[in-house]
């Protein structure tokens, strides 16, 4: 079966971002960008499904600026067969991305679509669910285990009190949680080979999708800073401070 | 304006996060209705009717909603939601699972995990693991929003007397089915609602050593959390994880033991009132947010702390 994986180019998770002085957003100039960590897990899961003989073809898709080709090449080096970039310079909402992905799903007809559960920049946790709604497919969000058998997929999901397993009819949408797998590293020969794999570039217009949004970001501020704390010398002093100064125990 | 709040429940008990969500709805202003979608969830509907400020409880009782599968619940919420100005749910795993599906069905953008209400159409929410706070305005006819419970003080669970309305609509998409559930059992308070949280990280070295934290937590009436490192190492189950991708807590007192303080962890606890860090590495980033820091070996400090409190 064909598996479609969505990946997003985001600021590297190790970077401590700074808010711009004019409060228009965060400063991403000259900041290291990477594949969103949850998307890496999604690619890894697709590659493992292929290694198990369940998946026959892996298509990766990214929606974003021209530079997102770097992340698509990374996914190709990890084992994806071909890539699609829907090029859009503007920042898109989750709904716009879901609509574009729906257009790609209609075109490619995958049996399984794997996304990350959330992107670490916008922290929205929406796109997978929205894509599932638009396509009418079942959704297995926050997956920690995915097992395909016949025309259905069993997804174990991380929920607040523990774990839940649901069975979805294929085609279906799965979003990955951290514990689904440990992503592999791309090897140098595979990075070289990935340069020769096909990468198709599309535009929202070509897909006939409007990316108009009902949300507008008015401003972005730094969070309130915590006032500096103190170091205590002993446990006894700590308990004394908690009881008499902070009055929390 | 009328606001629809989706009740968080397990068919037996109304989850406390619902009270925080109603508090956010009250800040927006207008009539507040609560939807209880489930199977045999009568006690939940009764509890919802008693919430202060709620004027109507919609009870959709159907086998299709028993496990709140989003494929079935989302069409119900989207259908009912057409009569409302706002649809709110708590940003729990359940709310996050269902609500974006509702938003897409209504063709509107969603606003996730709001921490404050500026006006009926403008909200604040953290982005970049809480390193920036965005103010977002929605021009959508129906505003679909998830609410971060720790951002709002809960409304009173008693004092209201809402009217009941049974909802007959049954949506069964037939694309998904519930197989099984495995819930972690714990006698301690729930992590997201606890007044005191004691958390352990990689420094605990193994799962057995968490017994020191459990002993301390029991004495304080605290919940026990963990960093991702402790969960990934298999010390404790993953529903104990505090952080950007785990649970968000804001207790009165947060005690971080053997946790270095990566930004992903800080995103889940830095709104705690008082933060205490116990770590033997005095350079650990956790000390930059801690109100009280103790540079010490946790295996000596934690048992001593347990004795003194």
């Amino acid at each position: 079966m064909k598996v479609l994986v969505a990946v997003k180019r985001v600021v590297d998770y190790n970077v401590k971002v700074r808010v711009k002085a004019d409060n228009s957003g965060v400063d991403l100039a000259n900041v290291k960008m990477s594949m969103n960590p949850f998307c890496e897990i999604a690619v890894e899961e697709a590659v493992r499904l292929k290694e198990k003989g369940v998946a026959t073809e892996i298509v990766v898709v990214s929606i974003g600026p021209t530079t997102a080709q770097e992340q698509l090449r990374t996914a190709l080096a990890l084992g994806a067969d071909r890539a699609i970039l829907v090029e859009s310079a503007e920042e898109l909402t989750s709904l716009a991305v879901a609509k574009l992905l729906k257009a790609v799903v209609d075109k490619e007809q995958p049996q399984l679509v794997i996304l990350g559960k959330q992107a670490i920049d916008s922290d929205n946790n929406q796109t997978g669910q929205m894509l599932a709604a638009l396509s009418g497919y079942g959704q297995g969000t926050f997956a920690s285990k995915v097992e395909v058998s016949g025309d259905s997929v069993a997804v174990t999901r991380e929920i607040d009190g523990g774990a839940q397993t649901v069975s979805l009819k294929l085609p279906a949408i799965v979003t990955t949680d951290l514990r689904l797998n440990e992503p592999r590293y791309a090897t140098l020969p595979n990075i070289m080979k990935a340069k020769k794999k096909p990468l198709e570039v599309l535009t929202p217009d070509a897909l006939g999708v409007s990316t108009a949004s009902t949300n507008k970001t008015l401003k972005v501020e730094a969070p309130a800073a915590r006032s500096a704390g103190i170091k205590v010398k002993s446990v006894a002093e700590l308990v004394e401070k908690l009881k008499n100064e902070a009055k929390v125990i | 304006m009328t606001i629809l709040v989706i009740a968080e429940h397990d068919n037996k008990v109304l989850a406390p996060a619902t009270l925080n969500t109603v508090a956010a709805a009250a800040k927006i202003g207008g009539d507040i209705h609560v939807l209880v979608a489930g199977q045999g969830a009568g006690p939940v509907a009764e509890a919802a009717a008693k919430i202060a400020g709620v004027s109507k409880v919609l009870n959709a009782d159907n086998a299709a909603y028993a496990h709140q599968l989003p494929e079935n619940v989302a069409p119900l919420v989207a259908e009912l939601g057409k009569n409302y100005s706002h649809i709110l749910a708590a940003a729990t795993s359940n709310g996050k699972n269902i609500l974006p599906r509702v938003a897409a069905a209504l063709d509107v953008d969603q606003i996730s995990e709001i921490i404050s209400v500026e006006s009926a159409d403008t909200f604040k929410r953290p982005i970049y693991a809480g390193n920036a706070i965005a103010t977002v305005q929605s021009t959508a006819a129906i505003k679909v929003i998830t609410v971060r419970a720790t951002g709002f003080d809960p409304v009173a669970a008693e004092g209201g007397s809402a009217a009941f309305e049974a909802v007959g609509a049954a949506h069964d998409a037939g694309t998904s089915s519930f197989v099984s559930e495995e819930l972690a059992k714990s006698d301690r308070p729930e992590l997201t609602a606890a007044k005191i949280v004691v958390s352990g990280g990689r420094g605990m070295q193994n799962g057995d050593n968490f017994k020191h934290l459990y002993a301390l937590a029991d004495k304080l009436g605290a919940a026990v959390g963990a960093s991702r490192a402790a969960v990934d190492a298999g010390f404790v189950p993953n529903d104990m994880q505090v952080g950007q991708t785990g649970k968000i807590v804001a207790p009165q007192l947060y005690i971080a033991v053997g946790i270095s303080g990566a930004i992903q962890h800080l995103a889940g606890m830095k709104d705690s009132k008082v933060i205490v860090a116990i770590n033997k590495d005095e350079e650990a980033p956790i000390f930059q947010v801690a109100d009280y820091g103790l540079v010490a070996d946790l295996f000596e400090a934690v048992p001593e702390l347990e004795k003194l409190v």
Side-chain angles (χ1 to χ4, degrees):
Chain A
M1 68 177 190
K2 190 195 273 191
V3 179
L4 184 75
V5 183
V7 301
K8 184 176 184 184
R9 174 184 171 89
V10 298
V11 63
D12 190 89
Y13 73 96
N14 283 312
V15 173
K16 189 155 170 38
V17 296
R18 286 218 316 271
V19 171
K20 282 190 203 166
D22 65 356
N23 292 120
S24 62
V26 299
D27 195 355
L28 294 180
N30 304 315
V31 166
K32 187 186 176 203
M33 304 294 278
S34 301
M35 191 193 296
N36 180 43
F38 291 100
C39 302
E40 287 183 3
I41 295 170
V43 172
E44 175 67 29
E45 194 62 21
V47 174
R48 289 188 189 188
L49 285 174
K50 195 175 173 188
E51 286 169 348
K52 273 192 251 170
V54 177
T56 48
E57 189 188 22
I58 303 169
V59 182
V60 281
V61 56
S62 190
I63 293 158
T66 317
T67 45
Q69 290 197 11
E70 290 168 26
Q71 279 63 48
L72 288 172
R73 290 287 172 206
T74 305
L76 292 171
L78 291 170
D81 296 296
R82 61 190 172 87
I84 299 170
L85 173 66
V86 181
E87 206 169 287
S88 168
E90 55 178 331
E91 205 159 312
L92 300 174
T93 62
S94 302
L95 183 62
V97 170
K99 285 179 179 173
L100 290 165
L101 288 176
K102 164 74 166 53
V104 174
V105 165
D106 287 347
K107 198 163 149 304
E108 295 287 339
Q109 297 288 321
Q111 285 296 98
L112 191 63
V113 185
I114 313 181
L115 303 88
K117 80 163 175 181
Q118 79 190 60
I120 59 163
D121 51 359
S122 55
D123 281 337
N124 273 327
N125 197 330
Q126 299 173 1
T127 307
Q129 294 90 314
M130 288 178 159
L131 175 61
L134 297 174
S135 55
Y137 297 163
Q139 67 187 52
T141 51
F142 327 144
S144 58
K145 197 171 166 198
V146 175
E147 265 178 290
V148 178
S149 60
D151 60 353
S152 70
V153 56
V155 180
T156 301
R157 310 174 50 235
E158 299 199 351
I159 59 170
D160 286 338
Q164 178 195 61
T165 305
V166 292
S167 173
L168 310 171
K169 269 189 197 158
L170 293 175
I173 313 284
V174 168
T175 74
T176 64
D177 213 321
L178 281 172
R179 274 159 291 277
L180 182 57
N181 60 49
E182 187 104 5
R184 70 193 67 189
Y185 292 99
T187 60
L188 190 59
N190 284 345
I191 293 172
M192 300 310 289
K193 273 186 227 157
K195 290 184 178 167
K196 294 204 178 73
K197 289 185 180 175
L199 193 157
E200 183 186 1
V201 179
L202 298 168
T203 62
D205 286 344
L207 290 169
V209 174
S210 155
T211 56
S213 139
T214 56
N215 278 0
K216 194 171 130 196
T217 300
L218 302 180
K219 68 177 170 191
V220 175
E221 302 158 289
R226 289 189 78 95
S227 50
I230 55 161
K231 287 230 171 92
V232 293
K233 292 201 172 55
S234 67
V235 174
E237 189 188 347
L238 175 64
V239 173
E240 193 272 323
K241 295 268 188 208
L242 289 178
K243 276 189 175 148
N244 302 322
E245 198 175 275
K247 295 191 172 64
V248 283
I249 55 172
Chain B
M1 277 195 309
T2 319
I3 301 166
L4 182 64
V5 172
I6 317 299
E8 172 84 16
H9 68 91
D10 60 358
N11 289 325
K12 296 181 201 87
V13 183
L14 183 75
T18 310
L19 300 176
N20 306 75
T21 313
V22 171
K27 288 221 162 118
I28 295 168
D31 254 11
I32 301 171
H33 296 180
V34 173
L35 170 68
V36 178
Q39 188 184 23
V44 179
E46 275 165 38
K50 287 190 194 132
I51 301 175
V54 172
S55 62
K56 198 199 273 184
V57 172
L58 308 172
N59 193 358
D61 195 318
N62 194 291
Y65 310 136
H67 299 284
Q68 298 183 43
L69 296 173
E71 295 80 3
N72 302 344
V73 175
L76 169 75
V77 177
E79 184 186 283
L80 295 171
K82 291 201 171 90
N83 305 317
Y84 291 87
S85 62
H86 296 72
I87 304 173
L88 269 59
T92 53
S93 61
N94 211 18
K96 290 175 183 176
N97 194 26
I98 293 170
L99 224 56
R101 205 169 167 117
V102 173
L106 293 169
D107 196 23
V108 297
D109 285 304
Q110 180 189 299
I111 303 181
S112 293
E113 303 221 18
I114 62 162
I115 53 168
S116 88
V117 174
E118 302 297 295
S119 71
D121 67 356
T122 308
F123 309 90
K124 285 194 176 179
R125 61 176 301 262
I127 52 175
Y128 290 91
N131 285 307
I133 308 293
T135 305
V136 184
Q137 187 176 42
S138 170
T139 54
I142 304 167
K143 292 158 183 65
V144 179
I145 296 164
T146 61
V147 176
R148 182 173 285 188
T150 57
F152 298 87
D153 292 329
V155 296
E158 302 283 337
S161 56
F164 281 97
E165 185 181 313
V167 177
H171 295 270
D172 193 345
T175 49
S176 63
S177 57
F178 172 84
V179 177
S180 64
E181 204 162 62
E182 231 178 284
L183 299 179
K185 287 190 185 70
S186 171
D187 299 331
R188 293 184 190 88
E190 203 212 344
L191 196 50
T192 49
K195 291 212 158 41
I196 302 178
V197 173
V198 180
S199 277
R202 201 194 304 272
M204 297 307 296
Q205 292 176 5
N206 59 50
D208 194 38
N209 285 335
F210 264 75
K211 65 174 188 258
H212 299 298
L213 299 191
Y214 293 135
L216 174 62
D218 287 343
K219 208 137 173 216
L220 291 167
V224 179
S227 70
R228 184 188 163 191
V231 172
D232 280 354
F235 299 173
V236 289
N238 58 42
D239 57 317
M240 284 169 64
Q241 186 185 323
V242 172
Q244 182 186 20
T245 60
K247 292 196 172 126
I248 313 286
V249 301
Q252 294 287 307
L253 173 62
Y254 188 90
I255 305 178
V257 181
I259 292 176
S260 65
I263 50 177
Q264 292 82 1
H265 185 73
L266 301 184
M269 47 62 84
K270 69 189 167 81
D271 292 325
S272 305
K273 189 162 167 265
V274 174
I275 299 173
V276 170
I278 300 174
N279 204 306
K280 63 180 174 190
D281 173 14
E282 62 179 307
E283 302 294 321
I286 190 79
F287 286 119
Q288 290 163 21
V289 299
D291 298 281
Y292 302 108
L294 176 64
V295 181
D297 182 355
L298 69 94
F299 294 107
E300 287 163 20
V302 173
E304 195 186 338
L305 184 57
E306 188 216 324
K307 248 181 256 151
L308 290 176
V309 295

